[in-house]
Amino acid sequence: MDEKTLHKISYGLYIISSKDKEKINGQIANVLFQITSVPPQIAISINKENLTYNYIKNSKVFVASILSEETPMNFIGTFGFKSGRDINKFEDIRYRTGITSAPIILDYTVGYIEAEVIKEIDSGTHSIFLALVKDTKILSDEKPITYEYYHECKGGVSPKTAPTYSSKIDKINEKEEEKMDKYVCDICGYVYDPEKGDPDNGIKPGTTFENISDEWVCPLCGASKVDFSKQE
């Protein structure tokens, strides 16, 4: 089976946020799709190990904030590669609560969908939450980011809890990228590509890894430069 075929399926990139009483949390997700139009229903896939899963299961509500192509990698990293059990992901983040009382991300958000869970489907490592749309709003006319754009243009990787994660694909990609002199974060797997640089953090395309300041950190997980290894 050629697992790369699955990468041809179109995905977006969202922050799925929810609440548990007075506590709030959110995570990056790429599996969201509309089920019906009347009434409007959507479904999301969330890993059971994630804190957001517990919040959705308990509160039965969530918000899907649709991210734009301008979303910085460190912003994606906060919600995608760090745990709400360890940090407050919403510190210094602009957000507000909607009719479900779940947090709506306002930074880098094209629009949002508020939803109320009507059914949970057990899918092994993940659960699929089928939900009724309660409210929606467009916040900007920026272009929504796709999962392909995140990977191809921003050098993003999939966390191990993502439904699209594949260690086999990662190994194939590493072999294809050997000749590119790229560097991999030992903590989260982010690949620094000299051809793309890290414009979000002031590193211009064409900058070699050696020429990056020692103060630079991984845009996804915040690891230091010494935590990167050259792909052999």
Side-chain angles (χ1 to χ4, degrees), residues 80-214:
F81 288 86
K82 297 180 181 179
S83 173
R85 297 182 178 92
D86 303 322
I87 67 168
N88 175 13
K89 296 185 181 184
F90 287 84
E91 186 175 2
D92 300 323
I93 299 295
R94 291 192 308 124
Y95 72 94
R96 67 175 178 83
T97 56
I99 61 176
T100 63
S101 295
I104 300 167
I105 303 293
L106 300 178
D107 293 325
Y108 310 107
T109 299
V110 174
Y112 66 83
I113 303 169
E114 290 195 76
E116 182 179 353
V117 175
I118 56 178
K119 187 175 183 179
E120 178 182 355
I121 302 171
D122 190 318
S123 192
T125 58
H126 291 66
S127 271
I128 298 172
F129 289 106
L130 179 64
L132 182 67
V133 175
K134 305 299 290 184
D135 193 25
T136 62
K137 189 173 183 179
I138 294 175
L139 298 181
S140 82
D141 58 1
E142 293 180 348
K143 191 174 182 180
I145 187 173
T146 65
Y147 210 45
E148 180 181 23
Y149 186 92
Y150 165 68
H151 280 286
E152 299 298 325
C153 298
K154 287 183 173 286
V157 295
S158 302
K160 292 184 178 181
T161 56
T164 51
Y165 174 78
S166 171
S167 58
K168 292 182 180 179
I169 294 296
D170 284 351
K171 290 178 181 178
I172 291 173
N173 288 339
E174 286 177 7
K175 290 180 181 178
E176 291 178 346
E177 294 167 353
E178 282 181 356
K179 60 180 181 294
M180 303 300 290
D181 288 335
K182 300 175 182 179
Y183 284 75
V184 183
C185 177
D186 298 329
I187 307 301
C188 72
Y190 168 80
V191 178
Y192 175 77
D193 183 350
E195 293 184 2
K196 298 175 183 177
D198 180 15
D200 290 338
N201 293 293
I203 309 300
K204 296 180 180 179
T207 304
T208 64
F209 187 78
E210 291 80 6
N211 288 333
I212 299 176
S213 167
D214 290 338

Side-chain angles (χ1 to χ4, degrees), residues 215-228:
E215 302 301 317
W216 180 81
V217 298
C218 175
L220 278 183
C221 70
S224 62
K225 188 178 175 182
V226 296
D227 292 315
F228 277 71

Side-chain angles (χ1 to χ4, degrees), residues 58-71:
N58 293 337
S59 68
K60 307 298 183 186
V61 297
F62 66 85
V63 173
S65 298
I66 305 166
L67 298 179
S68 76
E69 287 187 350
E70 303 304 315
T71 308

